[in-house]
Amino acid sequence: VKVSGLVIDCGGAVGSGVGVAGSAAGVEVSGVTVRRAKVAGFRLVNAVGRPDAPVKLTGCRATAGDAPASGVELSGRVREAVVERCR
């Protein structure tokens, strides 16, 4: 699964804009902007890739709303994941 070039506005009412969980080998999210998430722009929860097909967040951006939020939240056992050139 590949997702790219989206702008997601959570309006301060949604916990996260993009979530990846469980077996996610080869999932790629690139050039996605998440605005005004309550908890995190991007969440990886027990997300597991493979050495030859990691979970990738590349060139993504998260902007805060009224509540403090993180850009990328990693929770549980995240393995074989790459986060690069995100802000």
Side-chain angles (χ1 to χ4, degrees):
V1 174
K2 295 181 183 182
V3 177
S4 65
L6 294 177
V7 176
I8 300 168
D9 190 338
C10 296
V14 178
S16 64
V18 174
V20 178
S23 179
V27 170
E28 295 183 28
V29 179
S30 65
V32 173
T33 297
V34 175
R35 297 180 181 151
R36 301 188 299 161
K38 285 175 74 174
V39 177
F42 301 86
R43 292 183 75 204
L44 301 181
V45 180
N46 296 319
V48 178
R50 293 191 317 256
D52 63 326
V55 178
K56 287 185 175 182
L57 295 181
T58 306
C60 294
R61 181 176 184 203
T63 60
D66 297 332
S70 63
V72 177
E73 177 185 321
L74 306 175
S75 62
R77 296 187 68 193
V78 176
R79 296 190 313 263
E80 301 298 338
V82 177
V83 178
E84 57 188 10
R85 297 187 323 271
C86 294
R87 54 188 176 127

